[in-house]
């Protein structure tokens, strides 16, 4: 695994691979790599000849200085985790500094995603967050110029925003979404989990359990051939949190996958694709999770983990 820290060296290395006719995949990360990231790297390796992993804790996507300061950083651990992947170890690790990424400080030109995609769910409680993500992802895509870029479905709103960014700006890259990896107790794997105390860690499983309750309601509607009962979905989603007052809910939402807005039809077919998304604070940590109703693989993975 070759490591580069500048755009010049990155481009030289990618050009070298391109000269051999290789396809290039990018896995953008903020480091503190865990099994979820490694799954993205494995997927990238199955779909491209060369895998580039970037590690950059992007300041423009943090709305709170304390959150940025507390974000875990472990470059040595990250290198070791990637090297330990053996035949799927990335070919290239790109670790730019903040000065390399934003040479004139706070960027004057930013990519701003509107259309309601960014002001709901996580965008509501994290103003500016998705513009920061869209800006850095656009820069990374320009710097690496990959054929494909791989993102986790745990950050479902982010994935949808990136898909829209790529479509609306005609970027020549294929976006691949990878299923959420879960701990044995179903908690979605996240770099933030390591900040949870053992008690909080147990409380945090309520997110996945709540999503599983919503899946059960949708499956029942499919079995009986009725319409998708949105109110019952919301009730099922909220109920597990009523028994866990220590967990502070930010949002519990049922939204359409393409718009991230509540579905506008009053009556929905039972197999309608909908994202059920939750965000909650457990102790000092904000956690998110989601499931895509109507995506049987995604539903099965969640139910299997919660069982
Ligand atoms: O999901 C993340 O880790 C970040 O938001 C990303 C996509 C690497 C941009 O900084």
């Amino acid at each position: 695994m070759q490591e580069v820290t500048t755009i010049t060296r990155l481009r030289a290395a990618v050009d070298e691979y391109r000269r051999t006719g290789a396809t290039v995949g990018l896995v953008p990360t903020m480091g503190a790599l865990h099994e979820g990231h490694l799954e993205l790297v494995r997927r990238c390796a199955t779909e491209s000849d060369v895998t580039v992993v970037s590690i950059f804790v992007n300041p423009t996507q943090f709305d709170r200085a304390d959150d940025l300061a507390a974000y875990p950083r472990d470059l040595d651990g990250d290198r070791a985790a990637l090297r330990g992947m053996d035949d799927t170890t990335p070919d290239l690790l790109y670790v730019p500094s903040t000065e390399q990424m934003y040479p004139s400080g706070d960027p004057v030109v930013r990519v701003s995603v509107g259309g309601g995609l960014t002001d709901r769910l996580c965008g509501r409680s994290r103003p500016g967050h998705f513009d920061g993500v869209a800006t850095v992802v656009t820069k990374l895509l320009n710097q690496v110029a990959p054929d494909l870029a791989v993102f986790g479905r745990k950050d479902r709103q982010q994935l949808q925003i990136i898909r829209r960014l790529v479509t609306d700006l005609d970027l020549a890259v294929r976006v691949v979404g990878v299923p959420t990896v879960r701990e044995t107790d179903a908690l979605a794997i996240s770099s933030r989990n390591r900040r949870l105390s053992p008690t909080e860690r147990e409380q945090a499983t309520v997110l996945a359990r709540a999503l599983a309750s919503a899946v059960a309601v949708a499956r029942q509607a499919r079995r009986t051939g009725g319409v998708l009962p949105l109110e019952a979905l919301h009730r099922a989603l909220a109920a597990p949190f009523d028994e866990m007052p220590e967990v502070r809910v930010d949002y519990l939402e049922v939204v359409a996958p393409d718009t991230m807005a509540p579905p506008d039809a009053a009556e929905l077919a039972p197999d309608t694709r909908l994202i059920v998304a939750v965000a909650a604070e457990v102790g000092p940590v904000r956690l998110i999770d989601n499931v895509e109703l109507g995506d049987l693989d995604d539903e099965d993975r969640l139910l299997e983990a919660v069982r």
Side-chain angles (χ1 to χ4, degrees):
M1 181 175 71
Q2 193 186 342
E3 184 170 329
V4 292
T5 56
T6 66
I7 299 171
T8 311
R9 284 186 187 278
L10 167 76
R11 286 192 169 136
V14 172
D15 282 354
E16 195 75 16
Y17 293 124
R18 288 248 179 247
R19 265 195 285 277
T20 67
T23 55
V24 177
L26 170 66
V27 183
T29 81
M30 298 208 298
L33 301 181
H34 50 62
E35 191 48 38
H37 294 112
L38 302 188
E39 194 59 26
L40 304 183
V41 176
R42 279 183 210 109
R43 176 68 176 268
C44 192
T46 65
E47 301 213 14
S48 61
D49 301 322
V50 167
T51 298
V52 181
V53 171
S54 64
I55 296 183
F56 178 63
V57 181
N58 174 35
T60 66
Q61 71 186 75
F62 287 82
D63 49 315
R64 286 177 15 212
D66 60 328
D67 203 19
L68 172 60
Y71 200 85
R73 291 159 173 87
D74 178 14
L75 192 51
D76 286 339
D78 292 344
R79 286 189 189 107
L82 294 172
R83 286 204 185 99
M85 295 183 76
D86 301 328
D87 53 343
T88 49
T89 293
D91 302 274
L92 191 58
L93 175 61
Y94 174 43
V95 192
S97 63
T98 306
E99 294 68 36
Q100 183 68 204
M101 195 58 96
Y102 298 114
S104 38
D106 215 16
V108 177
V109 177
R110 286 173 187 249
V111 179
S112 176
V113 184
L117 264 183
T118 52
D119 48 20
R120 298 192 183 89
L121 309 177
C122 289
R124 199 171 42 221
S125 47
R126 303 185 70 191
H129 166 69
F130 286 120
D131 286 354
V133 171
T135 302
V136 81
V137 168
T138 305
K139 285 169 75 70
L140 286 165
L141 293 175
N142 279 332
Q143 292 167 5
V144 180
D147 299 282
L148 65 102
V150 184
F151 298 88
R153 285 174 61 163
K154 184 173 88 67
D155 296 296
R156 192 58 181 77
Q157 188 176 14
Q158 168 174 286
L159 176 63
Q160 188 56 25
I161 286 167
I162 291 166
R163 287 193 195 284
R164 216 25 223 271
L165 165 83
V166 164
T167 304
D168 286 6
L169 297 185
D170 307 311
L171 303 182
V173 63
R174 184 162 63 86
V175 175
V176 176
V178 174
T180 303
V181 180
R182 298 180 180 279
E183 304 278 4
T184 47
D185 60 3
L187 177 66
I189 292 186
S190 159
S191 313
R192 292 166 188 258
N193 294 355
R194 60 177 85 172
R195 290 168 56 205
L196 295 167
S197 70
T199 310
E200 291 160 354
R201 178 71 184 65
E202 226 175 288
Q203 292 165 349
T205 60
V206 69
L207 277 80
R209 285 190 281 111
L211 294 174
S213 309
V215 171
V217 170
R219 289 200 161 186
Q220 172 71 14
R222 265 177 243 145
R223 264 196 302 275
T224 56
V227 294
L228 204 55
L230 276 180
E231 268 188 43
L233 270 182
H234 277 283
R235 274 199 306 275
L237 189 58
F241 289 95
D242 293 342
E243 287 152 32
M244 195 68 76
E246 305 88 344
V247 175
R248 297 174 302 286
V249 173
D250 178 1
Y251 63 73
L252 303 173
E253 300 264 10
V254 180
V255 295
D258 49 346
T259 59
M260 290 283 137
D264 44 18
E267 297 215 328
L268 295 168
D271 57 353
T272 307
R273 293 249 176 166
L274 289 172
I275 307 289
V276 183
V278 306
E281 277 183 35
V282 186
V285 184
R286 186 173 182 283
L287 298 173
I288 59 172
D289 200 353
N290 73 83
V291 64
E292 183 158 346
L293 298 183
D295 177 336
L296 300 187
D297 180 56
D298 203 38
E299 290 184 3
D300 282 344
R301 283 169 185 273
L302 172 72
L303 295 182
E304 195 62 39
V306 166
R307 236 190 297 274

